[in-house]
Amino acid sequence: MHITRKVTEDIVWVGCNDRRLNLFENLFPIPRGVSYNSYLILDEKVTLMDTMDASASGQFKENLEYALDGRSIDYLVVQHMEPDHAANVGELLDRYPQMKVVGNAKTIQMIGQFFDAPEAERTVLVKEGDTLNTGKHTLHFVMAPMVHWPEVMVTYDETEKILFSADAFGTFGALNGNIFNDEVDFEKDWIKDARRYFTNIVGKYGVQVQALLKKAAALDIQMICPLHGPVWRSDLGYFIEKHDKWSRYEPEDREVVIIYGSLYGHTEQVANALASRLADKGLTHISVYDASSTHISDLIAEIFRASHIVLACPTYNGGIYPPIENLLSDMKALSVQKRTVALIDNGSWAPTAGKQIVKKLEELKDINLLEMQLSVKSALKAGQEEELDRFAQQIVDSLAEGE
């Protein structure tokens, strides 16, 4: 049974959803699943925008056959060669012998790495600014290298004013029949998945995303069709602004996120005591996370969201407690910057994690490390109440400075 929806009068969503997959890229939990979006342009020349993950190939074929209604595919535009979007390229080349693959030089090279390379006469090489006319539609190709693979490009339909955006403007989460942003409550049900998707998958490439946003700003875009998540046909500025902020590493919210590691609960107690003290001083929307039980992708998303981060960490084997050390490594890999950080360390005989964390933070760009560090030996004692209060006050003062 086919599952399709019209995007416009002659563009059809032929995508699929996967709610069985537990880990995206075998790394990131996706409890709400994921969508794989593909779009068919029914014009004088029929054009397919990207394909599908292998897990959804059966449904994808049914969707295509229904939407084609006996026609064939003339062009397959491959914007991104990651297998969740390109697993069917080889099969479609076999199934539609007259079909030509449209891609840049890196794309065609990668097709040959995953499949048998198509003959030269079955490829249409494009570069920045090239166009392809399919009849009514004119497709304008825009290169977007390292958003987030080197071959990535996006495609602007000059006729419909649609940006087919590859992995840009995507999000985790399966589509529940409603494929458009104005059919869902995005702020309530989708923004957390969108933030986690961007920060963990594309976050490292902020400079490249900024370059793409500048190119997109020169286009009259009325709709965005990404490869994951809802199609944007209204309030585009809201989502573009989010991506602009994320890719500039600017926090969305002036709020405090406390992330702790704790072996037996003593460092957790310090984190909770700090949260309570901050609340007493008037702060709201304080978030507290256990690094051992919260997936690192959620922690990264929260670090991108909030302006102030508190790391509370015990010393472990003379070093940094592994969940916090892993987080610091991910922060470096994903280019976290422009954050204010406060440190708490704990150690029964040698609380040295704080000093080692400082060295890790020095490897990041534009990190404002608050001067006072709270150090605990085994457990927070009543005699440290004044010290805790001063530690909390410096965070409150720092938040007020940016208002």
Side-chain angles (χ1 to χ4, degrees), residues 360-373:
K360 296 279 187 182
L361 292 173
E362 287 173 348
E363 298 174 1
L364 307 182
K365 294 181 181 178
D366 200 9
I367 296 296
N368 173 30
L369 181 61
L370 295 183
E371 183 177 354
M372 182 184 176
Q373 178 180 320

Side-chain angles (χ1 to χ4, degrees), residues 4 13 44 50 85 170-171 184 198 202 209 220 231 240 248 255 267 298-299 340 363 366 396:
T4 63
W13 178 84
E44 292 175 24
D50 297 291
H85 305 300
T171 176
V184 301
F198 178 90
V202 192
V209 173
D220 180 13
V231 171
I240 292 172
R248 287 187 290 111
E255 292 180 7
T267 309
D298 290 300
L299 299 178
T340 296
E363 298 174 1
D366 200 9
V396 173

Side-chain angles (χ1 to χ4, degrees), residues 15-121:
C16 300
N17 292 292
D18 190 345
R19 296 181 182 85
R20 295 186 180 188
L21 188 66
N22 293 318
L23 296 174
F24 186 81
E25 295 185 349
N26 214 22
L27 282 174
F28 308 109
I30 45 171
R32 297 172 60 234
V34 69
S35 73
Y36 306 115
N37 299 338
S38 176
Y39 308 91
L40 191 67
I41 303 173
L42 296 168
D43 204 348
E44 292 175 24
K45 297 289 187 181
V46 176
T47 303
L48 179 64
M49 304 300 297
D50 297 291
T51 73
M52 195 64 46
D53 187 83
S55 66
S57 293
Q59 182 66 63
F60 180 52
K61 291 173 193 173
E62 291 190 46
N63 294 349
L64 269 182
E65 288 175 8
Y66 172 79
L68 287 167
D69 191 25
R71 298 183 68 182
S72 185
I73 299 173
D74 296 290
Y75 297 115
L76 167 61
V77 176
V78 180
Q79 302 184 109
H80 184 24
M81 269 303 297
E82 201 165 5
D84 57 332
H85 305 300
N88 302 98
V89 171
E91 183 175 349
L92 290 181
L93 281 165
D94 292 337
R95 178 175 290 207
Y96 302 103
Q98 76 281 20
M99 184 187 81
K100 294 185 178 182
V101 176
V102 181
N104 58 58
K106 286 187 173 67
T107 301
I108 303 304
Q109 174 192 326
M110 284 191 180
I111 291 174
Q113 294 171 195
F114 283 98
F115 311 101
D116 292 334
E119 300 86 350
E121 60 269 19

Side-chain angles (χ1 to χ4, degrees), residues 30 33 58 94 119 126 131 138 147 155 168 189 224 248 288 326 329 337 340 343 351 356 371 393:
I30 45 171
D94 292 337
E119 300 86 350
V126 295
T131 59
T138 298
V147 184
T155 305
D189 298 325
I224 298 175
R248 287 187 290 111
V288 182
N326 292 342
S329 295
Q337 52 193 273
T340 296
L343 289 183
Q356 297 175 62
E371 183 177 354
Q393 188 61 49

Side-chain angles (χ1 to χ4, degrees), residues 128-131 138-143 154-158 161-165 169 211-224 236 240:
E128 183 76 38
D130 283 353
T131 59
T138 298
L139 303 180
H140 173 176
F141 301 104
V142 178
M143 300 302 114
V154 299
T155 305
Y156 178 63
D157 181 348
E158 295 178 354
K161 299 183 179 179
I162 293 174
L163 182 69
F164 295 96
S165 63
F169 301 107
L212 176 57
L213 289 174
K214 285 181 174 65
K215 292 180 181 181
L219 304 172
D220 180 13
I221 300 170
Q222 300 298 315
M223 188 181 298
I224 298 175
L236 273 64
I240 292 172

